Amino acid sequence: MRHILVPEDLSAHEIEAIFAISKDLETKYAAGLRDALLPGRMLALVFEKPSLRTRVSFEAAMAHLGGSSVFLGADAGFSSSRESVADFGRVLSEYADAIVCRSKSHDTISALAAAASVPVINGLSDYCHPCQALADIYTFKQHVGRIAGHTLAFVGDGNNVARSLAVVCGLLGMRFVLAAPQGYEFDEPFRNHLKSLLPNAEIVETTDAVAAVKDAAVVYTDVWASMGQEKERARRLEAFAPYQVNEALMKHCPDAIFMHCLPARRGEEVTDGVIDGPQSVVVEEAANRMHVQKGLLAWLLAK
Ligand code: CP
Ligand code: NVA
């Protein structure tokens, strides 16, 4: 039994295997075919934060694979005074074949996984968003063919999405550059973790957004204030203003594709001109959440 709580719970080889299953299922889906690899299987989604993409892409994935899903929001009493996270996980494991959890705190997902007797998949925590990074790099691979050697420039907050991309890029031989204002870079414990996990990876941090995107094959951004950081919004808007991904910045990398995990705050981290422009692949990226999660679920659960 495997939990996928952080991207490094998967090896490069395993990610490639998941991508291969995803590609096969995506091709069949485009031809109107459904591969019922998980008949009778049930996925539970336990979410403490809002979601469109993660929730619906997992639910659609299970439906297409011949299984089913149940969504548990705030009324299920997860991580509340109603019962312990461990009791919740032990009991839910009796009904579900796997659990996707979106939590305010990464520690809550870890506690759930420690108690669960079925695989737990992180559907976003304050620390990371592994399924997002997998779909992003799958999308990039579809555009360029070969991943290794290319540069992904993340312009913005060194947040959950940025951390996950740094790890997946490092695992797959892509160069990762974070362009963030001072105070919003990766923290020291995460830098040390990257060094020990991926000693040969090229992971660079800078405050210079233009320098970051110049050699980039992908320019990526995300909201400046993530879910749970609403109180810091005003301060963050000011700090990140020079890091907007706009037409002027994208002129430095005319051959790059633009990515955003969505939801986007248009006019803040990205302009309409970029997100709706010819370099943007954001809708395809969102679509690939479903294809890659089908690959992940089939890889984890199919006999
Ligand atoms: N990108 C992403 O995870 O979107 P949701 O928050 O809508 O699930
Ligand atoms: N960094 C964002 C990602 C949303 C998909 C957040 O955590 O709110």
Side-chain angles (χ1 to χ4, degrees):
M1 204 233 340
R2 293 279 294 272
H3 298 305
I4 310 298
L5 306 186
V6 291
E8 56 270 38
D9 284 335
L10 294 166
S11 68
H13 183 71
E14 289 170 337
I15 293 172
E16 295 291 2
I18 290 164
F19 284 178
I21 303 168
S22 307
K23 183 72 214 159
D24 177 51
L25 293 172
E26 184 188 352
T27 307
K28 288 178 176 152
Y29 181 72
L33 302 170
R34 306 283 192 272
D35 227 345
L37 297 175
L38 301 177
R41 301 301 190 93
M42 218 276 283
L43 180 71
L45 296 126
V46 184
F47 278 43
E48 285 191 296
K49 290 177 174 180
S51 172
L52 168 66
R53 282 144 286 268
T54 307
R55 174 184 177 171
V56 182
S57 58
F58 267 113
E59 292 199 16
M62 281 308 284
H64 297 164
L65 291 169
S68 62
S69 55
V70 61
F71 180 80
L72 302 170
D75 60 349
F78 177 64
S79 190
S80 72
S81 56
R82 191 161 190 267
E83 63 185 315
S84 74
V85 168
D87 284 347
F88 194 104
R90 276 194 286 267
V91 172
L92 191 55
S93 300
E94 296 295 319
Y95 311 134
D97 294 288
I99 301 169
V100 177
C101 181
R102 168 167 289 199
S103 183
K104 291 177 189 161
S105 157
H106 192 77
D107 290 345
T108 306
I109 302 186
S110 301
L112 179 70
S117 53
V118 297
V120 173
I121 301 169
N122 180 352
L124 181 145
S125 68
D126 54 340
Y127 178 63
C128 66
H129 196 1
C131 298
Q132 182 68 52
L134 291 176
D136 296 335
I137 302 307
Y138 177 84
T139 306
F140 179 62
K141 188 178 159 113
Q142 287 187 319
H143 277 264
V144 299
R146 191 169 158 273
I147 302 171
H150 289 289
T151 299
L152 185 149
F154 189 103
V155 180
D157 189 19
N159 64 11
N160 45 5
V161 173
R163 278 191 284 269
S164 304
L165 285 165
V167 171
V168 175
C169 285
L171 285 170
L172 299 182
M174 269 182 89
R175 193 166 165 267
F176 177 89
V177 183
L178 173 67
Q182 265 183 357
Y184 297 95
E185 316 93 332
F186 290 148
D187 60 24
E188 213 45 42
F190 184 66
R191 283 185 192 138
N192 291 335
H193 173 63
L194 284 175
K195 269 185 216 140
S196 64
L197 178 75
L198 301 159
N200 301 319
E202 254 199 282
I203 298 172
V204 179
E205 292 181 65
T206 174
T207 53
D208 186 339
V210 171
V213 304
K214 268 196 170 138
D215 299 319
V218 186
V219 175
Y220 201 116
T221 193
D222 183 14
V223 290
W224 292 336
S226 286
M227 291 181 274
Q229 297 174 329
E230 291 77 10
K231 283 192 185 133
E232 298 173 32
R233 212 174 122 68
R235 184 156 50 89
R236 284 173 170 267
L237 281 183
E238 202 177 301
F240 283 102
Y243 293 82
Q244 184 185 63
V245 178
N246 51 32
E247 292 83 334
L249 186 68
M250 294 303 286
K251 280 214 169 76
H252 296 281
C253 49
D255 298 325
I257 57 174
F258 170 75
M259 286 192 180
H260 190 308
C261 54
L262 304 178
R265 288 267 191 176
R266 288 165 175 260
E268 293 183 11
E269 76 273 6
V270 62
T271 56
D272 286 339
V274 171
I275 199 166
D276 298 328
Q279 289 170 270
S280 176
V281 298
V282 297
V283 175
E284 185 186 330
E285 196 185 342
N288 283 335
R289 293 292 306 277
M290 181 179 78
H291 302 306
V292 173
Q293 287 157 200
K294 277 185 193 171
L296 177 63
L297 289 166
W299 181 81
L300 270 175
L301 300 177
K303 286 274 176 290

